[in-house]
Amino acid sequence: MDIILGIKLNDSVLIATSKAVTRGISVLKASDDKTRNLGDHSAMAFTGESGDTVQFAEYVQANLKLFSVRQNYELSPKAMASFVRKELATSIRSRKPFQVNVLIGGCDINKETPETSLYWIDYLGTNVELPYAAHGYAAFYALSLLDRHYKPDLNEEEGIKLLQLCNKELSTRMPIDFKGLRVKVINSQGVKEYDDLTAL
């Protein structure tokens, strides 16, 4: 019952994840963080089997950190997405594949003009760059709203209003309380985190 949403704006990327951890009809935790920072200007949101998700996210985070320490260089979001895609594609061909779906958002500060991007990656290793994306139950309800209201030149305030619209729709239609959305704003200044979308 996880919710993961991503929206690429004109100068930043928004990633929102549900805070509830559920098993069957029970809510096990109401303040879970389903994201990991991959660098100073990038973050990854993940959903899937509970053991796989945390293990895979920490593996990716540690390997990308190791690369940046060794090379004294932060990979671009595109390169990070390619690394994650390769790891998932290799995993699916093993005896114990990871059942993890991922969104990666980031800002490439190595370019002359910093450029934001959002990548949708599924457990089969499919990697697509999109202006907005969703995994989990959010895809059933929120993608139609994003189709209708998304514009490439949205600023941060307009993007947050669009996320709030998605949150309202999900709250109305979903049969469980997903305990609200945690939001990360990624831009050329870094990654800002907001614990509660309704407070913005």
Side-chain angles (χ1 to χ4, degrees), residues 3 8 11 43 48 62 66 70 79 90 96 107 123 136 170 178 180 196:
I3 293 167
K8 179 185 165 188
D11 60 351
L66 178 64
R70 281 182 172 168
T90 303
K96 293 270 189 174
C107 183
Y123 71 100
L170 291 165
F178 52 86
D196 191 7

Side-chain angles (χ1 to χ4, degrees), residues 113-133:
T113 306
E115 190 177 294
T116 58
S117 51
L118 175 68
Y119 295 89
W120 180 95
I121 307 169
D122 71 0
Y123 71 100
L124 298 170
T126 308
N127 178 11
V128 184
E129 184 177 1
L130 296 169
Y132 53 86

